[in-house]
Amino acid sequence: MKTALVLAAATTLAVWLVTDARAQPGSGRQLPQGDPNTPVLERGGFGPTEAEIVKFRDGIYLIRSVGSGNITVFTSDRGVLLVDSKLTNELDKVMELLRTVTNQPVRYLINTHFHPDHTGGNTGLEGLGADIVATGNARLRLSATQQTGLPVLTFDDHLSIHFAGKTLELYYVGRGHTDGDLVIYVPEEKLVLPGDLYAGWGPSIRLIDYNGGGSLVQWPATLDKVMALDFDTVIPGHSGVTDRAHMQAYIDENRRMLELIRMLRDAGRSPTDISSAVQMEFGNMAFVVLPNVQAVLDELP
């Protein structure tokens, strides 16, 4: 049963990304998508149909595809560090793309959370010698569904990794998408990688996986802690590179969503009516709840 729930979370997200990528996410802040005059990394939408690799900055690349999470690649002359590993069936393509920019082995893999569209390549990369890093909660949830490709290094609050002249500060700052999401802060680049705590901006998406310990109520406060860091650039869990202002807008939208749900609940509306109203206001992709909206109502003060 646990395996089915985890796969349902990743499958639900992948289906939304592939089938509804052009849907309007309600009245939330909109940004141009697919404008050919916009740099590839900064375009909205969740990525190309086929995975591609694009240079972000010196020594840092991004591998994107529409149906799974972003991989951020840190290269050095002593090896490669990856953030997330996409779906299992994408690993061969990922390795092919990596070889276009480096011949160094993958030494480290950081999982931002446990969903298969971010961890599917774990077993294959473990077999290639990569050490896997995640939060303790993410490892527990992965270990409930698989025996290989598990993180060998975990932490509860904070871990520093020094790689290629950069410091990757890993933080667990609270529940949101799941109960094991980590955030990576790279101070030298004024860059944060929040995984699916901020999955994308064009359109925004908010999958609250209560089966995986997620929380819509706690999500805004969790991201407030990220905003306390000194950054200006964001690589979301999906979609293109964005900035601090857009993350703040996403947090504000989360709070507005909660207020709408609370208002409708207090007015005696049914869970079905509440779900429909929220999706009408924010868009289908911006409000995906596993198992259903009742989970939000159960935790709402």
mmCIF file of all heavy atoms in Angstrom, residues 63-111:
data_model
loop_
_atom_site.group_PDB
_atom_site.id
_atom_site.type_symbol
_atom_site.label_atom_id
_atom_site.label_comp_id
_atom_site.label_asym_id
_atom_site.label_seq_id
_atom_site.Cartn_x
_atom_site.Cartn_y
_atom_site.Cartn_z
ATOM 1 N N ILE A 63 19.472 19.890 -16.160
ATOM 2 C CA ILE A 63 18.853 18.901 -17.048
ATOM 3 C C ILE A 63 17.357 18.941 -16.795
ATOM 4 O O ILE A 63 16.898 18.715 -15.670
ATOM 5 C CB ILE A 63 19.408 17.485 -16.797
ATOM 6 C CG1 ILE A 63 20.910 17.439 -17.081
ATOM 7 C CG2 ILE A 63 18.681 16.461 -17.667
ATOM 8 C CD1 ILE A 63 21.555 16.097 -16.797
ATOM 9 N N ARG A 64 16.593 19.216 -17.851
ATOM 10 C CA ARG A 64 15.146 19.399 -17.723
ATOM 11 C C ARG A 64 14.402 18.488 -18.678
ATOM 12 O O ARG A 64 14.860 18.213 -19.786
ATOM 13 C CB ARG A 64 14.755 20.846 -18.023
ATOM 14 C CG ARG A 64 15.287 21.883 -17.073
ATOM 15 C CD ARG A 64 14.807 23.273 -17.480
ATOM 16 N NE ARG A 64 13.359 23.379 -17.449
ATOM 17 C CZ ARG A 64 12.655 24.351 -18.042
ATOM 18 N NH1 ARG A 64 13.290 25.287 -18.731
ATOM 19 N NH2 ARG A 64 11.349 24.382 -17.963
ATOM 20 N N SER A 65 13.224 18.058 -18.234
ATOM 21 C CA SER A 65 12.251 17.412 -19.109
ATOM 22 C C SER A 65 10.892 17.581 -18.469
ATOM 23 O O SER A 65 10.774 17.728 -17.252
ATOM 24 C CB SER A 65 12.573 15.927 -19.325
ATOM 25 O OG SER A 65 12.621 15.230 -18.100
ATOM 26 N N VAL A 66 9.838 17.544 -19.270
ATOM 27 C CA VAL A 66 8.527 17.961 -18.804
ATOM 28 C C VAL A 66 7.939 17.036 -17.745
ATOM 29 O O VAL A 66 7.230 17.481 -16.846
ATOM 30 C CB VAL A 66 7.548 18.097 -20.000
ATOM 31 C CG1 VAL A 66 7.252 16.738 -20.625
ATOM 32 C CG2 VAL A 66 6.256 18.796 -19.589
ATOM 33 N N GLY A 67 8.231 15.736 -17.816
ATOM 34 C CA GLY A 67 7.526 14.785 -16.971
ATOM 35 C C GLY A 67 8.211 14.436 -15.670
ATOM 36 O O GLY A 67 7.722 13.556 -14.949
ATOM 37 N N SER A 68 9.320 15.088 -15.324
ATOM 38 C CA SER A 68 10.014 14.754 -14.082
ATOM 39 C C SER A 68 10.794 15.959 -13.589
ATOM 40 O O SER A 68 10.913 16.965 -14.286
ATOM 41 C CB SER A 68 10.950 13.555 -14.291
ATOM 42 O OG SER A 68 11.940 13.840 -15.256
ATOM 43 N N GLY A 69 11.335 15.841 -12.376
ATOM 44 C CA GLY A 69 11.991 16.967 -11.738
ATOM 45 C C GLY A 69 13.290 17.373 -12.401
ATOM 46 O O GLY A 69 13.946 16.587 -13.100
ATOM 47 N N ASN A 70 13.673 18.624 -12.176
ATOM 48 C CA ASN A 70 14.953 19.128 -12.664
ATOM 49 C C ASN A 70 16.112 18.397 -11.990
ATOM 50 O O ASN A 70 16.030 18.027 -10.823
ATOM 51 C CB ASN A 70 15.099 20.619 -12.357
ATOM 52 C CG ASN A 70 14.163 21.478 -13.167
ATOM 53 O OD1 ASN A 70 13.808 21.156 -14.288
ATOM 54 N ND2 ASN A 70 13.757 22.605 -12.591
ATOM 55 N N ILE A 71 17.192 18.226 -12.741
ATOM 56 C CA ILE A 71 18.477 17.835 -12.167
ATOM 57 C C ILE A 71 19.409 19.034 -12.288
ATOM 58 O O ILE A 71 19.582 19.583 -13.380
ATOM 59 C CB ILE A 71 19.108 16.637 -12.889
ATOM 60 C CG1 ILE A 71 18.280 15.370 -12.674
ATOM 61 C CG2 ILE A 71 20.548 16.408 -12.411
ATOM 62 C CD1 ILE A 71 18.840 14.150 -13.408
ATOM 63 N N THR A 72 19.995 19.441 -11.169
ATOM 64 C CA THR A 72 21.046 20.454 -11.207
ATOM 65 C C THR A 72 22.382 19.729 -11.100
ATOM 66 O O THR A 72 22.559 18.858 -10.245
ATOM 67 C CB THR A 72 20.891 21.472 -10.072
ATOM 68 O OG1 THR A 72 19.584 22.064 -10.143
ATOM 69 C CG2 THR A 72 21.933 22.575 -10.191
ATOM 70 N N VAL A 73 23.306 20.087 -11.983
ATOM 71 C CA VAL A 73 24.593 19.409 -12.117
ATOM 72 C C VAL A 73 25.713 20.352 -11.691
ATOM 73 O O VAL A 73 25.832 21.461 -12.222
ATOM 74 C CB VAL A 73 24.825 18.970 -13.582
ATOM 75 C CG1 VAL A 73 26.169 18.253 -13.722
ATOM 76 C CG2 VAL A 73 23.678 18.109 -14.093
ATOM 77 N N PHE A 74 26.516 19.918 -10.726
ATOM 78 C CA PHE A 74 27.714 20.650 -10.326
ATOM 79 C C PHE A 74 28.918 19.828 -10.782
ATOM 80 O O PHE A 74 29.060 18.659 -10.399
ATOM 81 C CB PHE A 74 27.766 20.848 -8.815
ATOM 82 C CG PHE A 74 26.709 21.771 -8.280
ATOM 83 C CD1 PHE A 74 25.430 21.304 -7.994
ATOM 84 C CD2 PHE A 74 26.981 23.115 -8.057
ATOM 85 C CE1 PHE A 74 24.447 22.144 -7.498
ATOM 86 C CE2 PHE A 74 26.009 23.971 -7.560
ATOM 87 C CZ PHE A 74 24.733 23.481 -7.276
ATOM 88 N N THR A 75 29.780 20.424 -11.607
ATOM 89 C CA THR A 75 30.917 19.692 -12.151
ATOM 90 C C THR A 75 32.230 20.185 -11.539
ATOM 91 O O THR A 75 32.337 21.333 -11.085
ATOM 92 C CB THR A 75 31.000 19.846 -13.681
ATOM 93 O OG1 THR A 75 31.187 21.237 -14.010
ATOM 94 C CG2 THR A 75 29.732 19.336 -14.346
ATOM 95 N N SER A 76 33.220 19.298 -11.527
ATOM 96 C CA SER A 76 34.569 19.651 -11.100
ATOM 97 C C SER A 76 35.530 18.698 -11.786
ATOM 98 O O SER A 76 35.106 17.745 -12.456
ATOM 99 C CB SER A 76 34.706 19.537 -9.576
ATOM 100 O OG SER A 76 34.858 18.182 -9.193
ATOM 101 N N ASP A 77 36.831 18.928 -11.606
ATOM 102 C CA ASP A 77 37.808 18.027 -12.206
ATOM 103 C C ASP A 77 38.026 16.783 -11.356
ATOM 104 O O ASP A 77 38.873 15.951 -11.668
ATOM 105 C CB ASP A 77 39.140 18.746 -12.457
ATOM 106 C CG ASP A 77 39.734 19.338 -11.187
ATOM 107 O OD1 ASP A 77 39.188 19.103 -10.077
ATOM 108 O OD2 ASP A 77 40.759 20.042 -11.296
ATOM 109 N N ARG A 78 37.252 16.642 -10.290
ATOM 110 C CA ARG A 78 37.352 15.460 -9.426
ATOM 111 C C ARG A 78 36.038 14.697 -9.332
ATOM 112 O O ARG A 78 35.921 13.759 -8.544
ATOM 113 C CB ARG A 78 37.802 15.874 -8.022
ATOM 114 C CG ARG A 78 39.187 16.515 -7.999
ATOM 115 C CD ARG A 78 39.600 16.847 -6.592
ATOM 116 N NE ARG A 78 39.675 15.651 -5.747
ATOM 117 C CZ ARG A 78 39.868 15.692 -4.427
ATOM 118 N NH1 ARG A 78 40.002 16.854 -3.816
ATOM 119 N NH2 ARG A 78 39.933 14.580 -3.733
ATOM 120 N N GLY A 79 35.057 15.109 -10.104
ATOM 121 C CA GLY A 79 33.787 14.402 -10.083
ATOM 122 C C GLY A 79 32.606 15.332 -10.263
ATOM 123 O O GLY A 79 32.754 16.538 -10.474
ATOM 124 N N VAL A 80 31.416 14.733 -10.160
ATOM 125 C CA VAL A 80 30.157 15.434 -10.407
ATOM 126 C C VAL A 80 29.245 15.250 -9.200
ATOM 127 O O VAL A 80 29.214 14.180 -8.579
ATOM 128 C CB VAL A 80 29.462 14.870 -11.670
ATOM 129 C CG1 VAL A 80 28.088 15.493 -11.877
ATOM 130 C CG2 VAL A 80 30.347 15.078 -12.897
ATOM 131 N N LEU A 81 28.506 16.306 -8.872
ATOM 132 C CA LEU A 81 27.455 16.242 -7.867
ATOM 133 C C LEU A 81 26.136 16.551 -8.549
ATOM 134 O O LEU A 81 26.023 17.561 -9.265
ATOM 135 C CB LEU A 81 27.718 17.230 -6.739
ATOM 136 C CG LEU A 81 26.726 17.255 -5.575
ATOM 137 C CD1 LEU A 81 27.427 17.665 -4.279
ATOM 138 C CD2 LEU A 81 25.542 18.208 -5.828
ATOM 139 N N LEU A 82 25.141 15.698 -8.355
ATOM 140 C CA LEU A 82 23.820 15.899 -8.927
ATOM 141 C C LEU A 82 22.808 16.203 -7.825
ATOM 142 O O LEU A 82 22.878 15.639 -6.726
ATOM 143 C CB LEU A 82 23.339 14.646 -9.673
ATOM 144 C CG LEU A 82 24.173 14.124 -10.833
ATOM 145 C CD1 LEU A 82 23.504 12.891 -11.438
ATOM 146 C CD2 LEU A 82 24.365 15.201 -11.898
ATOM 147 N N VAL A 83 21.865 17.063 -8.147
ATOM 148 C CA VAL A 83 20.714 17.276 -7.284
ATOM 149 C C VAL A 83 19.517 16.667 -7.991
ATOM 150 O O VAL A 83 19.075 17.151 -9.030
ATOM 151 C CB VAL A 83 20.473 18.772 -7.004
ATOM 152 C CG1 VAL A 83 19.225 18.947 -6.143
ATOM 153 C CG2 VAL A 83 21.687 19.388 -6.330
ATOM 154 N N ASP A 84 19.046 15.539 -7.450
ATOM 155 C CA ASP A 84 17.929 14.735 -7.962
ATOM 156 C C ASP A 84 18.337 13.910 -9.187
ATOM 157 O O ASP A 84 19.367 14.171 -9.832
ATOM 158 C CB ASP A 84 16.692 15.581 -8.221
ATOM 159 C CG ASP A 84 16.009 15.990 -6.905
ATOM 160 O OD1 ASP A 84 16.158 15.256 -5.910
ATOM 161 O OD2 ASP A 84 15.323 17.028 -6.878
ATOM 162 N N SER A 85 17.494 12.888 -9.481
ATOM 163 C CA SER A 85 17.906 11.908 -10.493
ATOM 164 C C SER A 85 16.797 11.518 -11.468
ATOM 165 O O SER A 85 16.929 10.527 -12.188
ATOM 166 C CB SER A 85 18.443 10.647 -9.800
ATOM 167 O OG SER A 85 17.445 10.023 -9.008
ATOM 168 N N LYS A 86 15.692 12.262 -11.498
ATOM 169 C CA LYS A 86 14.600 12.026 -12.449
ATOM 170 C C LYS A 86 14.011 10.621 -12.306
ATOM 171 O O LYS A 86 14.224 9.924 -11.313
ATOM 172 C CB LYS A 86 15.059 12.304 -13.877
ATOM 173 C CG LYS A 86 15.294 13.772 -14.164
ATOM 174 C CD LYS A 86 15.456 14.025 -15.656
ATOM 175 C CE LYS A 86 15.405 15.509 -15.954
ATOM 176 N NZ LYS A 86 14.030 16.045 -15.768
ATOM 177 N N LEU A 87 13.236 10.217 -13.303
ATOM 178 C CA LEU A 87 12.604 8.899 -13.320
ATOM 179 C C LEU A 87 13.612 7.822 -13.720
ATOM 180 O O LEU A 87 14.590 8.091 -14.418
ATOM 181 C CB LEU A 87 11.428 8.884 -14.294
ATOM 182 C CG LEU A 87 10.232 9.769 -13.915
ATOM 183 C CD1 LEU A 87 9.304 9.940 -15.112
ATOM 184 C CD2 LEU A 87 9.461 9.186 -12.734
ATOM 185 N N THR A 88 13.325 6.599 -13.328
ATOM 186 C CA THR A 88 14.236 5.486 -13.623
ATOM 187 C C THR A 88 14.527 5.361 -15.105
ATOM 188 O O THR A 88 15.680 5.165 -15.517
ATOM 189 C CB THR A 88 13.628 4.171 -13.101
ATOM 190 O OG1 THR A 88 13.378 4.302 -11.691
ATOM 191 C CG2 THR A 88 14.572 3.003 -13.330
ATOM 192 N N ASN A 89 13.493 5.482 -15.935
ATOM 193 C CA ASN A 89 13.685 5.269 -17.369
ATOM 194 C C ASN A 89 14.387 6.423 -18.077
ATOM 195 O O ASN A 89 14.623 6.366 -19.276
ATOM 196 C CB ASN A 89 12.342 4.979 -18.057
ATOM 197 C CG ASN A 89 11.349 6.130 -17.956
ATOM 198 O OD1 ASN A 89 11.667 7.199 -17.456
ATOM 199 N ND2 ASN A 89 10.141 5.903 -18.427
ATOM 200 N N GLU A 90 14.741 7.464 -17.331
ATOM 201 C CA GLU A 90 15.471 8.592 -17.922
ATOM 202 C C GLU A 90 16.970 8.541 -17.625
ATOM 203 O O GLU A 90 17.716 9.398 -18.116
ATOM 204 C CB GLU A 90 14.893 9.916 -17.416
ATOM 205 C CG GLU A 90 13.478 10.208 -17.893
ATOM 206 C CD GLU A 90 12.993 11.571 -17.447
ATOM 207 O OE1 GLU A 90 12.540 11.694 -16.301
ATOM 208 O OE2 GLU A 90 13.083 12.524 -18.257
ATOM 209 N N LEU A 91 17.421 7.569 -16.834
ATOM 210 C CA LEU A 91 18.812 7.583 -16.406
ATOM 211 C C LEU A 91 19.789 7.491 -17.569
ATOM 212 O O LEU A 91 20.800 8.205 -17.597
ATOM 213 C CB LEU A 91 19.078 6.451 -15.410
ATOM 214 C CG LEU A 91 20.521 6.390 -14.873
ATOM 215 C CD1 LEU A 91 20.917 7.686 -14.186
ATOM 216 C CD2 LEU A 91 20.698 5.200 -13.939
ATOM 217 N N ASP A 92 19.517 6.615 -18.529
ATOM 218 C CA ASP A 92 20.437 6.492 -19.666
ATOM 219 C C ASP A 92 20.579 7.822 -20.395
ATOM 220 O O ASP A 92 21.692 8.218 -20.779
ATOM 221 C CB ASP A 92 19.953 5.411 -20.627
ATOM 222 C CG ASP A 92 20.136 3.999 -20.083
ATOM 223 O OD1 ASP A 92 20.886 3.838 -19.096
ATOM 224 O OD2 ASP A 92 19.521 3.063 -20.645
ATOM 225 N N LYS A 93 19.462 8.512 -20.581
ATOM 226 C CA LYS A 93 19.505 9.807 -21.260
ATOM 227 C C LYS A 93 20.252 10.829 -20.413
ATOM 228 O O LYS A 93 21.044 11.639 -20.939
ATOM 229 C CB LYS A 93 18.086 10.306 -21.544
ATOM 230 C CG LYS A 93 18.028 11.622 -22.298
ATOM 231 C CD LYS A 93 18.654 11.521 -23.681
ATOM 232 C CE LYS A 93 18.462 12.809 -24.462
ATOM 233 N NZ LYS A 93 19.067 12.726 -25.819
ATOM 234 N N VAL A 94 20.028 10.807 -19.119
ATOM 235 C CA VAL A 94 20.740 11.724 -18.225
ATOM 236 C C VAL A 94 22.244 11.522 -18.337
ATOM 237 O O VAL A 94 23.013 12.491 -18.463
ATOM 238 C CB VAL A 94 20.273 11.523 -16.770
ATOM 239 C CG1 VAL A 94 21.220 12.227 -15.786
ATOM 240 C CG2 VAL A 94 18.851 12.049 -16.585
ATOM 241 N N MET A 95 22.679 10.266 -18.313
ATOM 242 C CA MET A 95 24.113 10.001 -18.401
ATOM 243 C C MET A 95 24.668 10.410 -19.764
ATOM 244 O O MET A 95 25.790 10.926 -19.864
ATOM 245 C CB MET A 95 24.389 8.524 -18.134
ATOM 246 C CG MET A 95 24.019 8.067 -16.723
ATOM 247 S SD MET A 95 24.761 9.095 -15.415
ATOM 248 C CE MET A 95 26.529 8.757 -15.716
ATOM 249 N N GLU A 96 23.891 10.207 -20.805
ATOM 250 C CA GLU A 96 24.312 10.634 -22.145
ATOM 251 C C GLU A 96 24.499 12.149 -22.187
ATOM 252 O O GLU A 96 25.486 12.656 -22.752
ATOM 253 C CB GLU A 96 23.259 10.202 -23.159
ATOM 254 C CG GLU A 96 23.514 10.655 -24.584
ATOM 255 C CD GLU A 96 22.351 10.326 -25.513
ATOM 256 O OE1 GLU A 96 21.697 9.283 -25.299
ATOM 257 O OE2 GLU A 96 22.094 11.125 -26.433
ATOM 258 N N LEU A 97 23.567 12.885 -21.585
ATOM 259 C CA LEU A 97 23.675 14.337 -21.554
ATOM 260 C C LEU A 97 24.859 14.786 -20.703
ATOM 261 O O LEU A 97 25.578 15.729 -21.071
ATOM 262 C CB LEU A 97 22.376 14.946 -21.018
ATOM 263 C CG LEU A 97 21.151 14.791 -21.922
ATOM 264 C CD1 LEU A 97 19.888 15.232 -21.188
ATOM 265 C CD2 LEU A 97 21.313 15.589 -23.209
ATOM 266 N N LEU A 98 25.068 14.123 -19.572
ATOM 267 C CA LEU A 98 26.210 14.477 -18.728
ATOM 268 C C LEU A 98 27.521 14.360 -19.484
ATOM 269 O O LEU A 98 28.424 15.192 -19.331
ATOM 270 C CB LEU A 98 26.252 13.569 -17.500
ATOM 271 C CG LEU A 98 25.418 13.952 -16.289
ATOM 272 C CD1 LEU A 98 25.598 12.912 -15.184
ATOM 273 C CD2 LEU A 98 25.807 15.332 -15.783
ATOM 274 N N ARG A 99 27.635 13.326 -20.294
ATOM 275 C CA ARG A 99 28.894 13.083 -21.008
ATOM 276 C C ARG A 99 29.167 14.136 -22.074
ATOM 277 O O ARG A 99 30.277 14.209 -22.606
ATOM 278 C CB ARG A 99 28.881 11.680 -21.623
ATOM 279 C CG ARG A 99 28.871 10.567 -20.574
ATOM 280 C CD ARG A 99 30.122 10.634 -19.681
ATOM 281 N NE ARG A 99 29.996 9.837 -18.464
ATOM 282 C CZ ARG A 99 29.919 10.335 -17.244
ATOM 283 N NH1 ARG A 99 29.945 11.650 -17.070
ATOM 284 N NH2 ARG A 99 29.819 9.553 -16.192
ATOM 285 N N THR A 100 28.190 14.977 -22.378
ATOM 286 C CA THR A 100 28.448 16.076 -23.314
ATOM 287 C C THR A 100 29.152 17.247 -22.635
ATOM 288 O O THR A 100 29.652 18.141 -23.325
ATOM 289 C CB THR A 100 27.139 16.577 -23.954
ATOM 290 O OG1 THR A 100 26.316 17.203 -22.955
ATOM 291 C CG2 THR A 100 26.379 15.438 -24.624
ATOM 292 N N VAL A 101 29.193 17.256 -21.285
ATOM 293 C CA VAL A 101 29.820 18.370 -20.581
ATOM 294 C C VAL A 101 30.949 17.931 -19.659
ATOM 295 O O VAL A 101 31.767 18.765 -19.249
ATOM 296 C CB VAL A 101 28.780 19.184 -19.770
ATOM 297 C CG1 VAL A 101 27.737 19.785 -20.701
ATOM 298 C CG2 VAL A 101 28.120 18.346 -18.682
ATOM 299 N N THR A 102 31.018 16.636 -19.312
ATOM 300 C CA THR A 102 32.081 16.162 -18.432
ATOM 301 C C THR A 102 32.248 14.655 -18.565
ATOM 302 O O THR A 102 31.269 13.937 -18.820
ATOM 303 C CB THR A 102 31.783 16.495 -16.952
ATOM 304 O OG1 THR A 102 32.841 15.987 -16.137
ATOM 305 C CG2 THR A 102 30.471 15.890 -16.498
ATOM 306 N N ASN A 103 33.455 14.184 -18.374
ATOM 307 C CA ASN A 103 33.736 12.751 -18.337
ATOM 308 C C ASN A 103 33.986 12.262 -16.912
ATOM 309 O O ASN A 103 34.326 11.090 -16.709
ATOM 310 C CB ASN A 103 34.955 12.422 -19.206
ATOM 311 C CG ASN A 103 34.664 12.587 -20.688
ATOM 312 O OD1 ASN A 103 33.599 12.185 -21.156
ATOM 313 N ND2 ASN A 103 35.594 13.183 -21.420
ATOM 314 N N GLN A 104 33.804 13.152 -15.943
ATOM 315 C CA GLN A 104 34.042 12.786 -14.551
ATOM 316 C C GLN A 104 32.892 11.929 -13.998
ATOM 317 O O GLN A 104 31.742 12.054 -14.432
ATOM 318 C CB GLN A 104 34.193 14.041 -13.693
ATOM 319 C CG GLN A 104 35.425 14.862 -14.012
ATOM 320 C CD GLN A 104 36.710 14.113 -13.705
ATOM 321 O OE1 GLN A 104 36.800 13.393 -12.711
ATOM 322 N NE2 GLN A 104 37.707 14.274 -14.579
ATOM 323 N N PRO A 105 33.176 11.050 -13.041
ATOM 324 C CA PRO A 105 32.124 10.205 -12.466
ATOM 325 C C PRO A 105 31.205 11.000 -11.540
ATOM 326 O O PRO A 105 31.591 12.039 -10.998
ATOM 327 C CB PRO A 105 32.918 9.167 -11.670
ATOM 328 C CG PRO A 105 34.183 9.884 -11.291
ATOM 329 C CD PRO A 105 34.510 10.768 -12.464
ATOM 330 N N VAL A 106 30.007 10.501 -11.352
ATOM 331 C CA VAL A 106 29.082 11.099 -10.391
ATOM 332 C C VAL A 106 29.474 10.604 -9.002
ATOM 333 O O VAL A 106 29.381 9.410 -8.702
ATOM 334 C CB VAL A 106 27.620 10.723 -10.700
ATOM 335 C CG1 VAL A 106 26.686 11.324 -9.652
ATOM 336 C CG2 VAL A 106 27.228 11.195 -12.098
ATOM 337 N N ARG A 107 29.909 11.522 -8.165
ATOM 338 C CA ARG A 107 30.365 11.155 -6.816
ATOM 339 C C ARG A 107 29.275 11.307 -5.773
ATOM 340 O O ARG A 107 29.219 10.537 -4.812
ATOM 341 C CB ARG A 107 31.564 12.019 -6.418
ATOM 342 C CG ARG A 107 32.811 11.782 -7.267
ATOM 343 C CD ARG A 107 33.960 12.652 -6.786
ATOM 344 N NE ARG A 107 34.280 12.386 -5.380
ATOM 345 C CZ ARG A 107 35.018 13.204 -4.611
ATOM 346 N NH1 ARG A 107 35.493 14.341 -5.111
ATOM 347 N NH2 ARG A 107 35.276 12.898 -3.358
ATOM 348 N N TYR A 108 28.406 12.314 -5.965
ATOM 349 C CA TYR A 108 27.366 12.576 -4.976
ATOM 350 C C TYR A 108 26.037 12.824 -5.672
ATOM 351 O O TYR A 108 25.977 13.424 -6.754
ATOM 352 C CB TYR A 108 27.709 13.804 -4.123
ATOM 353 C CG TYR A 108 29.014 13.692 -3.385
ATOM 354 C CD1 TYR A 108 30.150 14.361 -3.836
ATOM 355 C CD2 TYR A 108 29.127 12.918 -2.233
ATOM 356 C CE1 TYR A 108 31.358 14.265 -3.172
ATOM 357 C CE2 TYR A 108 30.333 12.803 -1.561
ATOM 358 C CZ TYR A 108 31.443 13.474 -2.033
ATOM 359 O OH TYR A 108 32.642 13.371 -1.380
ATOM 360 N N LEU A 109 24.969 12.381 -5.019
ATOM 361 C CA LEU A 109 23.606 12.633 -5.474
ATOM 362 C C LEU A 109 22.805 13.096 -4.267
ATOM 363 O O LEU A 109 22.727 12.388 -3.256
ATOM 364 C CB LEU A 109 22.991 11.364 -6.060
ATOM 365 C CG LEU A 109 21.472 11.373 -6.283
ATOM 366 C CD1 LEU A 109 21.066 12.458 -7.274
ATOM 367 C CD2 LEU A 109 20.991 9.994 -6.742
ATOM 368 N N ILE A 110 22.231 14.277 -4.366
ATOM 369 C CA ILE A 110 21.356 14.802 -3.316
ATOM 370 C C ILE A 110 19.909 14.651 -3.765
ATOM 371 O O ILE A 110 19.547 15.108 -4.849
ATOM 372 C CB ILE A 110 21.662 16.283 -3.026
ATOM 373 C CG1 ILE A 110 23.120 16.458 -2.584
ATOM 374 C CG2 ILE A 110 20.713 16.834 -1.960
ATOM 375 C CD1 ILE A 110 23.550 17.917 -2.467
ATOM 376 N N ASN A 111 19.087 14.012 -2.955
ATOM 377 C CA ASN A 111 17.647 13.919 -3.219
ATOM 378 C C ASN A 111 16.927 15.028 -2.459
ATOM 379 O O ASN A 111 17.018 15.105 -1.232
ATOM 380 C CB ASN A 111 17.082 12.581 -2.755
ATOM 381 C CG ASN A 111 17.522 11.399 -3.597
ATOM 382 O OD1 ASN A 111 17.579 10.278 -3.094
ATOM 383 N ND2 ASN A 111 17.829 11.602 -4.860
#
